[in-house]
């Protein structure tokens, strides 16, 4: 069990951090999946400049990249203990994540006779934003044998994020 190998969970986290840095423990796939799931629950507010009135609709959010950040200026320590017992350890990591947020913009103009909004076209845009997330990893087993990763979950500090797309306009590319 973890506690039999090291009574201090902080020491265990430092050892696991070293194993992660040396690629002996690979959490990349599990962390990316957890970040993708957590990103699905975020609310993005698209902001843009346009010559016409537009309606924006979120299309897709994808994890482009992420990196584990050192915890509290402790050098190369990437995780810190949150909870532990004789047979498990829950550790927290801070992660800088880059998300690609894709949005569709539908443009319209006002019909001065009927006072209706008349659709005139659309376009789509993708913008990357950087956010900080907390990732919680549950380890089980004997550290000497290599701990088993049981669960990986992620959460973002804020739920709502503004995404600025700059100047957006109609896609005038006609096919003949």
């Amino acid at each position: 069990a973890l506690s039999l190998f090291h009574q201090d969970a902080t020491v265990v986290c430092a050892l696991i951090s070293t194993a992660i840095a040396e690629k002996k423990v690979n959490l990349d796939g599990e962390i990316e999946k957890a970040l993708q799931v957590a990103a699905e629950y975020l609310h993005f507010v698209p902001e843009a400049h346009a010559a016409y009135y537009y309606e924006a609709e979120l299309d897709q959010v994808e994890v482009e990249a992420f990196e584990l950040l050192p915890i509290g200026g402790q050098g190369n320590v990437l995780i810190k203990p949150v909870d532990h017992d004789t047979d498990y350890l829950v550790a927290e990591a801070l992660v800088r994540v880059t998300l690609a947020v894709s949005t569709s913009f539908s443009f319209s103009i006002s019909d001065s006779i009927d006072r209706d909004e008349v659709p005139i076209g659309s376009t789509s845009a993708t913008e990357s934003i950087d956010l900080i997330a907390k990732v919680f990893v549950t380890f089980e087993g004997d550290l000497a044998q290599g701990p088993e990763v049981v669960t990986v979950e992620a959460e973002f500090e804020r739920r709502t994020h503004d995404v600025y797309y700059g100047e957006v306009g109609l896609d005038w590319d006609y096919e003949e």
Side-chain angles (χ1 to χ4, degrees), residues 2 12 16 19 25 89 139-150:
L2 289 173
V12 173
I16 294 174
V25 173
L89 168 70
F139 297 97
E140 285 185 354
D142 187 358
L143 182 61
Q145 304 283 313
E148 177 185 344
V149 176
V150 179

Side-chain angles (χ1 to χ4, degrees), residues 8-14 71 74 77-84 89-93 136-137:
D8 188 359
T10 305
V11 173
V12 173
C13 285
I71 299 286
Q74 298 175 2
V77 177
L78 301 173
I79 60 175
K80 68 178 182 180
V82 176
D83 187 20
H84 62 92
L89 168 70
V90 179
E92 175 186 331
F136 298 94
V137 183

Side-chain angles (χ1 to χ4, degrees), residues 40-112:
E40 306 275 329
Y41 293 99
L42 296 177
H43 176 69
F44 295 98
V45 179
E47 296 181 8
H49 287 87
Y52 303 102
Y53 171 79
Y54 66 85
E55 298 260 340
E57 183 177 326
L58 182 69
D59 287 334
Q60 187 173 356
V61 177
E62 287 186 2
V63 174
E64 281 187 332
F66 68 89
E67 71 171 314
L68 293 169
L69 302 174
I71 299 286
Q74 298 175 2
N76 65 348
V77 177
L78 301 173
I79 60 175
K80 68 178 182 180
V82 176
D83 187 20
H84 62 92
D85 201 354
T86 58
D87 58 349
Y88 72 90
L89 168 70
V90 179
E92 175 186 331
L94 285 178
V95 178
R96 179 181 298 119
V97 59
T98 302
L99 299 175
V101 183
S102 300
T103 300
S104 293
F105 296 89
S106 300
F107 299 96
S108 62
I109 58 173
S110 182
D111 180 356
S112 61

